Amino acid sequence: MTPWEELRGAAPPALLRGRPLTDAEEVLVLTYTCDLSFFEDVCLREAQAVRARTTVLYDADQLTQGPRRTDYLAVPVVCKARGAFHPKLVVIASEADAVVAIGSGNSTPSGWHHNAEVWTLLRGAGPTVPQLFHDLAAWLGRLPAAVWMDSLGRERLDRVAELLTARPAESGPGDPVLVTTAARPIIEQLPVPKAPVTTLAVAAPFFDAGAEALRRLTERFGPAELRLLLTRDVQCDPDALAGVLKRAPTGVVAAAKSSRYHHAKVVEWRTADQSWALTGSANCSTAALVRTMATGGNCELGLLTEIPGSLIDAVDSEEVDLAHPAGLQVREPGERGVSDPILRVLGVRVGAERVEATLLADGNPAPAWLMVDGLRLDHDRSDGRLHVYAGVPAPDWTLVSRGSATVHVGTDTGAEIRDVVVTDVPAALSRIDHPSPLEHTSLALVIADQAHLAALFEALAHLASVRPDRVVTLPGTNRRRQVEGRITAAVGPALLRFALGVDVADRAAPHDEEIFDGPDEPGGAPPERPEERTARNAPTTRTETVATVLDALTPGQRAVLRREVGALVEAAEEWPLPAKLAVGRLVLTLVAGGLWAEATGWSEILYWVMVHLWIAENEESLDAEHAALATIGLVALRNGLDRQLEPAGNLVGQFEDLRTAYAVRADWLAAVPADAVRRYAAGLNGHVFGVLFEQTNFVAELGWILGRTALHDAVDRLTNARLDSSSVVRVTGGRNTRQTVIAGLDALRDFTDVHVTSDGEPTVHGWWNGRRLLLVTRLGATWRAEIWCNLMTGIAIYSRGTPLRPPDRRWTASAPEEALRSLTSGA
């Protein structure tokens, strides 16, 4: 017997977040109303974190929010006899284990959080499974015969059914029994006990207009007492309900005291010794209880369970008068409207080499062709009213834009079907080899947790196994899609998006208050109470970011993380481009977040990231990302050098070599798409790079950097100095012009024989090569040249005012440059 408490179940988010199967093959969700963006936020990453393929079936007329992602299968369905597709089911399955949840809540914020719902959970671990698993598999196998859906949806149902029946069934006393509207009305499947029924209790948010289903239940069980539990915003005819209540010796109507919308559907009947309950998706309506799918009834799914108590009585309630039901906010009942015959596109499926769309021509002629974002799809085949259209895209054709996974589809008659769901079939059907923790956890929280961080580094190493040079692309196919598919299959879509600079807002696993933010069903979320309003207006808890997490680390933890990142960068030297992109973005993010307190620390590691990007083998399909990350990284590295008063000489020289190398590809960097640059730059603002860093014109800034030399940079770090168009350094200030020139030469000692001159009088020109100092001073119309040789200890002391010893040679020159040219090679 299923424990009574288990019938209250757990909403699917809690079930999926609990990860009852650590290596699931399939996750299947059936729902009536559907919010796909909500599902992505709440459950998709949890499903993909355990490597599961994920499929969501929903009523084609009841999509409240479209998807943003294409890496799972969203399947709209239409019942062939025009009933509602109304089951609520979650299956998590592998060949060795399975969990089945059957309940009353739709895949929306209301259905999976706000409302009062009932879910029943069943586990099938071990050598056998409950008989209900086999019964459910048989129902899933028959479902495509009763609804219109595309072939991919049918394939997923078949695979889930195979997994549910991979082990033999074993029945136990008191096990729940599956009931559906596939062959017989649900009401006829409710067993009538031999003993008199003392109480029939019904809780539902919807009753049909004439309370016909309630009347049929009352006639079937003949209870001594009929009890109704109603919710606010109940849909019913109070007079019709009152008429049925009079048929029972005793009739009681109650309403839940809670302000929550009670969306649970429960039918209970009790004798003196036993109690049974019908739970699941079926409301107290003729479409749910009295009809089958073939006769226009809904597609419903429920459970019959013997229970030790009462689910309905467990609700804190108070009696109400149906003659005065104003407090319930009663809405008039209405039957599901039957849509006029229309054309429906049940999804656009993008494969590696082919794009398909499935169209339901419900009473209309099928179009000759469809147009999807400039790609013509011609009629390929038919299956009754379902018509499949197909086309081969050009290699550079792409469909999904950021933030949306829907498209408008045109027909040959000029009609347009809007907001059609798009699926990337290879991504949706692949199982991830080594999911990164970013599938279910934000980057900030990954950094905060040592186990998650270790898993991220492991996933990055696994990403290095994806070598684009080994991806064979046939002519006319989309190489980018193939490369992304390989990456997704290896480490999951989250790390792919991170490597490509997408989803910088840390969308993983939002907090419940972010997800469950409003009603989307009749009644929906409860009215806001005063204490809730006070809490809402109170200061919110700060959302963790990479910067706040790094700030919270101890000095020891920061040192360990710096060493780990250093080792990661060193390992990435031989990695292919996709892995280098991910490592480069991670390093930039950690630098911006403040992992290194001083620019000297992060400049060096960022230098090596830029070297690795330079030596990375080019991959045309990732060319934009390669150029974008290199552009931002070089600008950031220059930023780090500028922050150092005297950067290490070796780093200055290394940056100069790096700048020279990248200057060879200046045209490639200048042509980088602006969108790619924006993606990688997003989120890098802050106290490290500056609050306006994200707004930098990176292409223009890098063009300026590549057009300069190390001497430009060194002069910029000096006060009162500038480099003119003839590459002469002009200095001002100081006690006298001679000392000012010597100070400039000493500061620029890494640049042998750089020409430094004073802007003050008398004009002095100077050159220093590390051992020999040449000064040329204007004396009226002539120039006096003086040379000091073998100054082994340098000239710094003379820049601070110590007098120079007498020169080794003095002569008159016609011009400063002539004095330098007149020196012998040994001078």
Side-chain angles (χ1 to χ4, degrees):
M1 177 182 297
T2 300
W4 175 43
E5 286 73 15
E6 286 190 19
L7 283 174
R8 300 187 183 188
L15 174 62
L16 285 161
R17 288 179 178 181
R19 300 188 197 173
L21 276 67
T22 58
D23 190 23
E25 182 177 332
E26 302 281 343
V27 168
L28 173 67
V29 174
L30 271 57
T31 181
Y32 173 58
T33 311
C34 185
D35 181 336
L36 288 174
S37 63
F38 159 80
F39 175 79
E40 292 169 5
D41 283 339
V42 175
C43 295
L44 181 58
R45 289 192 172 190
E46 301 295 343
Q48 292 179 337
V50 292
R51 306 181 61 233
R53 303 181 188 95
T54 304
T55 306
V56 182
L57 269 66
Y58 58 92
D59 190 295
D61 288 327
Q62 301 299 322
L63 181 63
T64 62
Q65 292 290 332
R68 297 185 303 268
R69 293 171 54 172
T70 62
D71 53 344
Y72 67 105
L73 195 59
V75 183
V77 303
V78 177
C79 291
K80 292 184 176 180
R82 305 292 181 87
F85 182 77
H86 202 252
K88 294 91 168 73
L89 169 73
V90 176
V91 178
I92 308 171
S94 68
E95 292 190 355
D97 201 352
V99 172
V100 170
I102 296 175
S104 59
N106 292 304
S107 180
T108 64
S110 292
W112 281 9
H113 179 74
H114 290 306
N115 298 341
E117 308 278 2
V118 171
W119 286 90
T120 303
L121 307 182
L122 299 101
R123 185 71 181 261
T128 63
V129 296
Q131 177 61 44
L132 183 141
F133 282 31
H134 282 239
D135 296 341
L136 178 61
W139 179 77
L140 292 173
R142 294 192 301 268
L143 190 59
V147 301
W148 298 112
M149 61 191 301
D150 71 6
S151 59
L152 274 177
R154 293 196 293 270
E155 290 171 7
R156 298 321 328 137
L157 291 182
D158 288 343
R159 180 54 184 157
V160 172
E162 289 177 8
L163 294 175
L164 290 174
T165 55
R167 291 160 290 159
E170 182 178 16
S171 298
D175 283 354
V177 176
L178 191 74
V179 294
T180 75
T181 50
R184 296 171 58 203
I186 287 179
I187 194 169
E188 295 180 5
Q189 301 172 59
L190 306 183
V192 178
K194 296 179 180 179
V197 173
T198 57
T199 303
L200 171 65
V202 178
F206 299 96
F207 294 80
D208 54 39
E212 177 64 16
L214 182 63
R215 182 186 66 80
R216 294 279 297 271
L217 286 171
T218 304
E219 290 176 349
R220 184 172 185 83
F221 292 106
E225 180 183 50
L226 176 60
R227 298 178 60 86
L228 301 182
L229 177 66
L230 306 182
T231 181
R232 63 177 183 83
D233 292 309
V234 63
Q235 183 172 303
C236 69
D237 180 344
D239 293 337
L241 293 184
V244 176
L245 284 166
K246 292 178 180 178
R247 295 171 176 262
T250 303
V252 178
V253 181
K257 291 182 179 180
S258 167
S259 59
R260 295 184 74 188
Y261 182 60
H262 280 245
H263 189 254
K265 306 103 163 79
V266 182
V267 177
E268 295 178 349
W269 58 104
R270 299 194 288 272
T271 66
D273 300 321
Q274 292 177 289
S275 298
W276 295 263
L278 167 68
T279 59
S281 65
N283 284 295
C284 192
S285 67
T286 54
L289 296 177
V290 180
R291 298 176 186 164
T292 63
M293 292 184 67
T295 58
N298 296 340
C299 177
E300 305 281 3
L301 192 63
L303 293 176
L304 288 174
T305 311
E306 189 174 347
I307 59 175
S310 168
L311 290 171
I312 293 177
D313 287 351
V315 177
D316 190 15
S317 61
E318 56 188 1
E319 289 193 22
V320 296
D321 185 355
L322 281 178
H324 305 284
L328 287 175
Q329 303 170 358
V330 174
R331 295 181 294 116
E332 293 186 2
E335 293 293 331
R336 172 183 167 92
V338 178
S339 303
D340 294 330
I342 57 174
L343 298 175
R344 302 173 189 263
V345 178
L346 302 181
V348 171
R349 314 304 189 188
V350 181
E353 302 176 13
R354 175 182 170 98
V355 177
E356 289 191 356
T358 301
L359 179 139
L360 173 60
D362 196 2
N364 281 327
W369 49 263
L370 303 177
M371 187 65 68
V372 179
D373 201 32
L375 176 65
R376 173 167 164 159
L377 306 183
D378 292 312
H379 192 275
D380 186 70
R381 61 188 184 274
S382 298
D383 180 9
R385 296 181 184 177
L386 286 182
H387 304 271
V388 178
Y389 297 77
V392 178
D396 59 347
W397 183 86
T398 185
L399 181 57
V400 181
S401 61
R402 291 181 65 215
S404 175
T406 61
V407 69
H408 299 342
V409 178
T411 73
D412 59 345
T413 63
E416 184 180 62
I417 300 96
R418 303 178 67 83
D419 299 323
V420 178
V421 173
V422 178
T423 301
D424 182 337
V425 176
L429 298 187
S430 64
R431 296 189 70 207
I432 304 170
D433 292 339
H434 199 299
S436 80
L438 296 177
E439 292 298 332
H440 54 83
T441 306
S442 70
L443 178 60
L445 296 182
V446 166
I447 294 169
D449 184 280
Q450 189 58 42
H452 283 336
L453 190 62
L456 176 60
F457 286 179
E458 289 179 14
L460 288 168
H462 192 69
L463 174 57
S465 68
V466 179
R467 308 195 68 91
D469 58 314
R470 298 176 185 172
V471 177
V472 179
T473 305
L474 298 175
T477 58
N478 189 312
R479 179 170 178 80
R480 168 81 173 216
R481 191 176 300 121
Q482 288 182 299
V483 171
E484 289 188 2
R486 292 284 183 89
I487 296 172
T488 299
V491 293
L495 190 51
L496 168 67
R497 290 193 298 271
F498 182 79
L500 299 184
V502 183
D503 278 1
V504 297
D506 270 346
R507 292 201 52 83
H511 296 297
D512 285 354
E513 60 267 21
E514 298 176 63
I515 300 168
F516 305 115
D517 57 357
D520 57 359
E521 296 179 16
E528 190 174 47
R529 295 187 293 270
E531 61 271 23
E532 295 172 329
R533 189 180 303 109
T534 300
R536 176 171 55 81
N537 292 332
T540 58
T541 302
R542 183 179 64 178
T543 301
E544 291 292 357
T545 65
V546 170
T548 59
V549 167
L550 293 175
D551 286 344
L553 297 180
T554 66
Q557 290 172 325
R558 294 168 71 90
V560 169
L561 181 54
R562 287 194 292 267
R563 287 197 299 270
E564 291 175 340
V565 173
L568 176 69
V569 171
E570 184 177 352
E573 180 178 2
E574 302 299 327
W575 289 358
L577 181 59
K580 286 183 176 178
L581 291 174
V583 171
R585 189 177 182 209
L586 177 62
V587 170
L588 272 171
T589 303
L590 293 173
V591 169
L595 177 58
W596 289 267
E598 301 295 336
T600 52
W602 60 260
S603 296
E604 183 174 358
I605 196 164
L606 195 52
Y607 162 77
W608 288 111
V609 169
M610 293 300 101
V611 170
H612 296 167
L613 285 177
W614 168 252
I615 65 176
E617 185 171 347
N618 292 336
E619 167 53 45
E620 184 178 357
S621 65
L622 302 176
D623 198 60
E625 287 76 14
H626 192 176
L629 193 58
T631 297
I632 295 171
L634 286 169
V635 173
L637 179 54
R638 168 58 192 265
N639 183 299
L641 292 175
D642 288 346
R643 287 171 176 268
Q644 303 173 49
L645 293 178
E646 284 200 34
N650 63 325
L651 186 57
V652 172
Q654 289 170 334
F655 179 73
E656 184 61 24
D657 293 341
L658 190 65
R659 173 162 45 192
T660 302
Y662 273 102
V664 175
R665 305 189 67 187
D667 292 342
W668 169 66
L669 295 168
V672 61
D675 178 65
V677 175
R678 282 195 299 270
R679 294 201 312 265
Y680 281 110
L684 298 182
N685 288 349
H687 66 277
V688 176
F689 292 137
V691 295
L692 298 180
F693 185 76
E694 188 177 333
Q695 307 303 319
T696 301
N697 185 334
F698 289 96
V699 174
E701 182 74 9
L702 183 59
W704 179 77
I705 291 172
L706 295 182
R708 292 163 59 81
T709 65
L711 179 58
H712 286 88
D713 294 342
V715 172
D716 282 350
R717 286 191 287 271
L718 300 180
T719 57
N720 303 320
R722 62 185 177 87
L723 188 66
D724 68 15
S725 58
S726 301
S727 296
V728 176
V729 179
R730 298 188 175 276
V731 294
T732 60
R735 296 180 181 178
N736 56 64
T737 55
R738 183 185 181 102
Q739 186 175 325
T740 300
V741 169
I742 294 175
L745 289 170
D746 180 62
L748 301 173
R749 56 186 172 272
D750 292 330
F751 302 92
T752 301
D753 274 341
V754 64
H755 186 175
V756 177
T757 185
S758 63
D759 281 342
E761 295 294 338
T763 303
V764 178
H765 295 256
W767 291 266
W768 165 244
N769 70 358
R771 294 181 62 182
R772 179 261 299 145
L773 172 66
L774 172 63
L775 296 178
V776 183
T777 307
R778 178 182 287 279
L779 295 176
T782 62
W783 296 89
R784 184 183 68 199
E786 298 171 292
I787 186 170
W788 290 263
C789 300
N790 299 315
L791 297 176
M792 305 300 291
T793 59
I795 59 175
I797 190 172
Y798 308 119
S799 71
R800 294 193 288 270
T802 299
L804 278 162
R805 62 175 169 80
D808 295 310
R809 179 185 170 197
R810 179 181 289 144
W811 72 100
T812 299
S814 59
E817 292 80 0
E818 187 275 333
L820 180 64
R821 287 194 297 269
S822 69
L823 293 178
T824 65
S825 59

mmCIF file of all heavy atoms in Angstrom, residues 89 100 102 132 134-137 139 142 175-180 189 301-304:
data_model
loop_
_atom_site.group_PDB
_atom_site.id
_atom_site.type_symbol
_atom_site.label_atom_id
_atom_site.label_comp_id
_atom_site.label_asym_id
_atom_site.label_seq_id
_atom_site.Cartn_x
_atom_site.Cartn_y
_atom_site.Cartn_z
ATOM 1 N N LEU A 89 2.417 14.422 -15.859
ATOM 2 C CA LEU A 89 3.271 13.258 -15.648
ATOM 3 C C LEU A 89 4.725 13.675 -15.725
ATOM 4 O O LEU A 89 5.106 14.507 -16.556
ATOM 5 C CB LEU A 89 2.984 12.197 -16.722
ATOM 6 C CG LEU A 89 3.966 11.015 -16.831
ATOM 7 C CD1 LEU A 89 3.777 10.065 -15.653
ATOM 8 C CD2 LEU A 89 3.760 10.275 -18.150
ATOM 9 N N VAL A 100 8.452 7.632 -11.378
ATOM 10 C CA VAL A 100 7.245 8.117 -12.056
ATOM 11 C C VAL A 100 6.480 8.997 -11.077
ATOM 12 O O VAL A 100 6.256 8.610 -9.923
ATOM 13 C CB VAL A 100 6.356 6.954 -12.534
ATOM 14 C CG1 VAL A 100 5.002 7.475 -13.021
ATOM 15 C CG2 VAL A 100 7.052 6.160 -13.632
ATOM 16 N N ILE A 102 2.878 11.169 -10.947
ATOM 17 C CA ILE A 102 1.588 11.477 -11.581
ATOM 18 C C ILE A 102 0.843 12.417 -10.647
ATOM 19 O O ILE A 102 0.699 12.137 -9.452
ATOM 20 C CB ILE A 102 0.774 10.197 -11.847
ATOM 21 C CG1 ILE A 102 1.516 9.308 -12.849
ATOM 22 C CG2 ILE A 102 -0.625 10.542 -12.359
ATOM 23 C CD1 ILE A 102 0.857 7.965 -13.091
ATOM 24 N N LEU A 132 2.284 -0.917 -12.528
ATOM 25 C CA LEU A 132 1.855 0.362 -13.081
ATOM 26 C C LEU A 132 2.844 0.875 -14.121
ATOM 27 O O LEU A 132 2.454 1.524 -15.089
ATOM 28 C CB LEU A 132 1.700 1.385 -11.954
ATOM 29 C CG LEU A 132 1.198 2.770 -12.348
ATOM 30 C CD1 LEU A 132 0.231 3.315 -11.310
ATOM 31 C CD2 LEU A 132 2.353 3.758 -12.529
ATOM 32 N N HIS A 134 4.523 -0.852 -16.350
ATOM 33 C CA HIS A 134 4.194 -1.509 -17.619
ATOM 34 C C HIS A 134 2.890 -0.957 -18.185
ATOM 35 O O HIS A 134 2.769 -0.779 -19.406
ATOM 36 C CB HIS A 134 4.098 -3.020 -17.416
ATOM 37 C CG HIS A 134 5.440 -3.692 -17.345
ATOM 38 N ND1 HIS A 134 5.835 -4.680 -18.222
ATOM 39 C CD2 HIS A 134 6.497 -3.514 -16.506
ATOM 40 C CE1 HIS A 134 7.071 -5.083 -17.916
ATOM 41 N NE2 HIS A 134 7.477 -4.390 -16.863
ATOM 42 N N ASP A 135 1.925 -0.699 -17.325
ATOM 43 C CA ASP A 135 0.654 -0.137 -17.793
ATOM 44 C C ASP A 135 0.870 1.260 -18.374
ATOM 45 O O ASP A 135 0.282 1.619 -19.404
ATOM 46 C CB ASP A 135 -0.351 -0.069 -16.645
ATOM 47 C CG ASP A 135 -0.729 -1.443 -16.118
ATOM 48 O OD1 ASP A 135 -0.511 -2.434 -16.839
ATOM 49 O OD2 ASP A 135 -1.198 -1.526 -14.968
ATOM 50 N N LEU A 136 1.713 2.042 -17.704
ATOM 51 C CA LEU A 136 2.011 3.386 -18.204
ATOM 52 C C LEU A 136 2.740 3.310 -19.543
ATOM 53 O O LEU A 136 2.465 4.083 -20.462
ATOM 54 C CB LEU A 136 2.853 4.146 -17.182
ATOM 55 C CG LEU A 136 3.292 5.565 -17.564
ATOM 56 C CD1 LEU A 136 2.083 6.464 -17.789
ATOM 57 C CD2 LEU A 136 4.205 6.162 -16.503
ATOM 58 N N ALA A 137 3.671 2.373 -19.676
ATOM 59 C CA ALA A 137 4.390 2.212 -20.935
ATOM 60 C C ALA A 137 3.435 1.852 -22.065
ATOM 61 O O ALA A 137 3.564 2.369 -23.185
ATOM 62 C CB ALA A 137 5.474 1.144 -20.783
ATOM 63 N N TRP A 139 0.288 2.648 -22.247
ATOM 64 C CA TRP A 139 -0.489 3.865 -22.559
ATOM 65 C C TRP A 139 0.343 4.832 -23.387
ATOM 66 O O TRP A 139 -0.153 5.421 -24.354
ATOM 67 C CB TRP A 139 -0.940 4.509 -21.249
ATOM 68 C CG TRP A 139 -1.722 5.772 -21.442
ATOM 69 C CD1 TRP A 139 -3.025 5.878 -21.830
ATOM 70 C CD2 TRP A 139 -1.242 7.109 -21.239
ATOM 71 N NE1 TRP A 139 -3.400 7.199 -21.890
ATOM 72 C CE2 TRP A 139 -2.323 7.984 -21.534
ATOM 73 C CE3 TRP A 139 -0.037 7.657 -20.844
ATOM 74 C CZ2 TRP A 139 -2.214 9.368 -21.435
ATOM 75 C CZ3 TRP A 139 0.094 9.026 -20.742
ATOM 76 C CH2 TRP A 139 -0.988 9.872 -21.037
ATOM 77 N N ARG A 142 0.390 3.750 -26.936
ATOM 78 C CA ARG A 142 -0.863 3.954 -27.687
ATOM 79 C C ARG A 142 -1.179 5.438 -27.902
ATOM 80 O O ARG A 142 -2.022 5.774 -28.745
ATOM 81 C CB ARG A 142 -2.031 3.304 -26.941
ATOM 82 C CG ARG A 142 -1.966 1.788 -26.849
ATOM 83 C CD ARG A 142 -3.293 1.209 -26.355
ATOM 84 N NE ARG A 142 -3.656 1.729 -25.044
ATOM 85 C CZ ARG A 142 -3.346 1.154 -23.891
ATOM 86 N NH1 ARG A 142 -2.629 0.029 -23.902
ATOM 87 N NH2 ARG A 142 -3.722 1.674 -22.747
ATOM 88 N N ASP A 175 -1.100 -1.703 -4.434
ATOM 89 C CA ASP A 175 -0.382 -0.846 -5.366
ATOM 90 C C ASP A 175 -1.364 0.062 -6.114
ATOM 91 O O ASP A 175 -2.489 -0.355 -6.438
ATOM 92 C CB ASP A 175 0.384 -1.676 -6.393
ATOM 93 C CG ASP A 175 1.668 -2.262 -5.820
ATOM 94 O OD1 ASP A 175 2.005 -1.919 -4.675
ATOM 95 O OD2 ASP A 175 2.317 -3.058 -6.529
ATOM 96 N N PRO A 176 -0.956 1.293 -6.425
ATOM 97 C CA PRO A 176 -1.830 2.166 -7.222
ATOM 98 C C PRO A 176 -2.120 1.551 -8.587
ATOM 99 O O PRO A 176 -1.311 0.811 -9.149
ATOM 100 C CB PRO A 176 -1.013 3.450 -7.360
ATOM 101 C CG PRO A 176 -0.041 3.422 -6.240
ATOM 102 C CD PRO A 176 0.281 1.977 -6.028
ATOM 103 N N VAL A 177 -3.274 1.874 -9.100
ATOM 104 C CA VAL A 177 -3.714 1.386 -10.414
ATOM 105 C C VAL A 177 -3.846 2.575 -11.346
ATOM 106 O O VAL A 177 -4.425 3.607 -10.973
ATOM 107 C CB VAL A 177 -5.065 0.640 -10.302
ATOM 108 C CG1 VAL A 177 -5.565 0.233 -11.680
ATOM 109 C CG2 VAL A 177 -4.918 -0.581 -9.399
ATOM 110 N N LEU A 178 -3.318 2.441 -12.558
ATOM 111 C CA LEU A 178 -3.377 3.521 -13.542
ATOM 112 C C LEU A 178 -4.747 3.578 -14.182
ATOM 113 O O LEU A 178 -5.319 2.544 -14.568
ATOM 114 C CB LEU A 178 -2.316 3.291 -14.615
ATOM 115 C CG LEU A 178 -2.073 4.456 -15.577
ATOM 116 C CD1 LEU A 178 -1.301 5.565 -14.870
ATOM 117 C CD2 LEU A 178 -1.285 3.973 -16.805
ATOM 118 N N VAL A 179 -5.281 4.785 -14.294
ATOM 119 C CA VAL A 179 -6.543 4.978 -15.021
ATOM 120 C C VAL A 179 -6.319 6.073 -16.060
ATOM 121 O O VAL A 179 -5.610 7.054 -15.816
ATOM 122 C CB VAL A 179 -7.710 5.366 -14.091
ATOM 123 C CG1 VAL A 179 -8.044 4.220 -13.157
ATOM 124 C CG2 VAL A 179 -7.395 6.625 -13.289
ATOM 125 N N THR A 180 -6.909 5.891 -17.237
ATOM 126 C CA THR A 180 -6.788 6.859 -18.322
ATOM 127 C C THR A 180 -8.114 6.958 -19.047
ATOM 128 O O THR A 180 -9.053 6.187 -18.793
ATOM 129 C CB THR A 180 -5.701 6.435 -19.328
ATOM 130 O OG1 THR A 180 -6.196 5.361 -20.135
ATOM 131 C CG2 THR A 180 -4.421 6.006 -18.623
ATOM 132 N N GLN A 189 -14.107 3.058 -14.304
ATOM 133 C CA GLN A 189 -12.967 2.318 -13.761
ATOM 134 C C GLN A 189 -12.866 2.454 -12.243
ATOM 135 O O GLN A 189 -11.993 1.825 -11.634
ATOM 136 C CB GLN A 189 -11.676 2.816 -14.417
ATOM 137 C CG GLN A 189 -11.663 2.650 -15.935
ATOM 138 C CD GLN A 189 -10.468 3.324 -16.570
ATOM 139 O OE1 GLN A 189 -9.319 2.994 -16.252
ATOM 140 N NE2 GLN A 189 -10.712 4.267 -17.474
ATOM 141 N N LEU A 301 -4.901 11.348 -17.031
ATOM 142 C CA LEU A 301 -4.069 10.323 -16.423
ATOM 143 C C LEU A 301 -4.275 10.402 -14.918
ATOM 144 O O LEU A 301 -4.133 11.475 -14.327
ATOM 145 C CB LEU A 301 -2.602 10.571 -16.768
ATOM 146 C CG LEU A 301 -1.587 9.471 -16.468
ATOM 147 C CD1 LEU A 301 -1.896 8.222 -17.289
ATOM 148 C CD2 LEU A 301 -0.190 9.971 -16.776
ATOM 149 N N GLY A 302 -4.617 9.276 -14.300
ATOM 150 C CA GLY A 302 -4.864 9.285 -12.866
ATOM 151 C C GLY A 302 -4.463 7.990 -12.200
ATOM 152 O O GLY A 302 -4.059 7.023 -12.853
ATOM 153 N N LEU A 303 -4.575 7.982 -10.878
ATOM 154 C CA LEU A 303 -4.235 6.818 -10.071
ATOM 155 C C LEU A 303 -5.370 6.495 -9.123
ATOM 156 O O LEU A 303 -5.951 7.391 -8.503
ATOM 157 C CB LEU A 303 -2.961 7.078 -9.262
ATOM 158 C CG LEU A 303 -1.642 7.224 -10.024
ATOM 159 C CD1 LEU A 303 -0.533 7.567 -9.049
ATOM 160 C CD2 LEU A 303 -1.318 5.960 -10.789
ATOM 161 N N LEU A 304 -5.634 5.207 -9.011
ATOM 162 C CA LEU A 304 -6.541 4.696 -7.976
ATOM 163 C C LEU A 304 -5.695 4.104 -6.871
ATOM 164 O O LEU A 304 -4.854 3.234 -7.116
ATOM 165 C CB LEU A 304 -7.455 3.620 -8.549
ATOM 166 C CG LEU A 304 -8.561 4.067 -9.496
ATOM 167 C CD1 LEU A 304 -9.270 2.857 -10.073
ATOM 168 C CD2 LEU A 304 -9.540 4.959 -8.758
#
